[in-house]
Amino acid sequence: MAELTILSGNRLGETFEIEANRAGIGRAADNLVVLNDPSVSGHHCVILRDGSKYTLRDLNSTNGTRLNGEFADEARLKTGDVLRTGEVEIRIDGEDIEPLPAEPESVAPTAVLPGQQVSPAFRARRDTRPLVHAAVALAVLLALAAIGWFLYTLFFKS
C-alpha cells in the first residue's frame, strides 16, 4: 500500500496510507491529508489510484502543484516522488506502486506542431503575472486620465 510522508511544514514526519482510490490533499477537512497552511488550497490536489498505478492531479489550485520541482497538472507517480502543495513537500512511497515504463534509449526530441496535443504531464503552467501587471497599469492610466480631465474641466473650462 502506498503512503504519503510530510517532509515540511507543521505536520512534518506524519504518514498517511492511501487506502481509497481517491486521496485528497488540501486545507479542507474532507481531504485525506489536511494541511493547515495558507499556501495550500482547500482542495489542492488529489492522488488517484487505479490498481497499482497512482496519478497526481492538480485541482486548479492557486499556487499550483509541483512534482519533483516541476509544475504538474497531471502526472503518473513512482516511489520516491516528491510533490509540493504550496509550501508543503510530501513524498510518496510504497512497494505496490507500479514503476513507470522504461523510456527508450535513443529517442530524439520532437517538436510540437500547431494543433498537436501535448501530454498533460508535460504541460507547463502559464505565468499570468504579466497580464495582471498590464491590467493594473491600464487601470492606473485610466484613473490618471480621469483625474486630469476633472482638473482640466475644473480650472480651464470655467
Side-chain angles (χ1 to χ4, degrees):
M1 183 173 303
E3 62 183 24
L4 300 171
T5 303
I6 309 294
L7 301 178
S8 63
N10 60 1
R11 299 194 77 178
L12 176 67
E14 289 188 47
T15 301
F16 302 87
E17 288 187 358
I18 301 176
E19 297 174 351
N21 289 335
R22 182 179 176 94
I25 301 172
R27 280 194 337 255
D30 62 341
N31 289 299
L32 170 68
V33 180
V34 178
L35 300 171
N36 188 15
D37 186 294
S39 67
V40 177
S41 296
H43 294 97
H44 199 99
C45 63
V46 66
I47 295 177
L48 305 169
R49 182 178 74 181
D50 181 15
S52 59
K53 296 177 184 174
Y54 292 80
T55 302
L56 170 69
R57 182 179 296 159
D58 181 72
L59 299 176
N60 294 320
S61 60
T62 303
N63 293 319
T65 301
R66 292 179 180 252
L67 179 61
N68 299 321
E70 300 292 324
F71 281 111
D73 289 331
E74 185 168 314
R76 193 67 195 282
L77 296 171
K78 64 185 183 311
T79 297
D81 278 344
V82 175
L83 54 116
R84 184 176 179 141
T85 57
E87 297 297 320
V88 180
E89 289 190 329
I90 304 168
R91 183 181 62 237
I92 185 167
D93 290 304
E95 294 179 10
D96 71 327
I97 299 175
E98 183 177 308
L100 298 175
E103 294 183 22
E105 291 181 25
S106 60
V107 175
T110 58
V112 178
L113 301 174
Q116 185 179 13
Q117 293 293 324
V118 178
S119 169
F122 300 105
R123 210 173 283 154
R125 183 172 291 269
R126 183 178 211 166
D127 186 6
T128 58
R129 286 179 287 184
L131 294 175
V132 172
H133 291 192
V136 169
L138 182 61
V140 168
L141 285 174
L142 288 173
L144 289 173
I147 292 170
W149 180 256
F150 174 75
L151 293 174
Y152 173 76
T153 57
L154 183 68
F155 294 112
F156 298 108
K157 283 209 160 189
S158 9

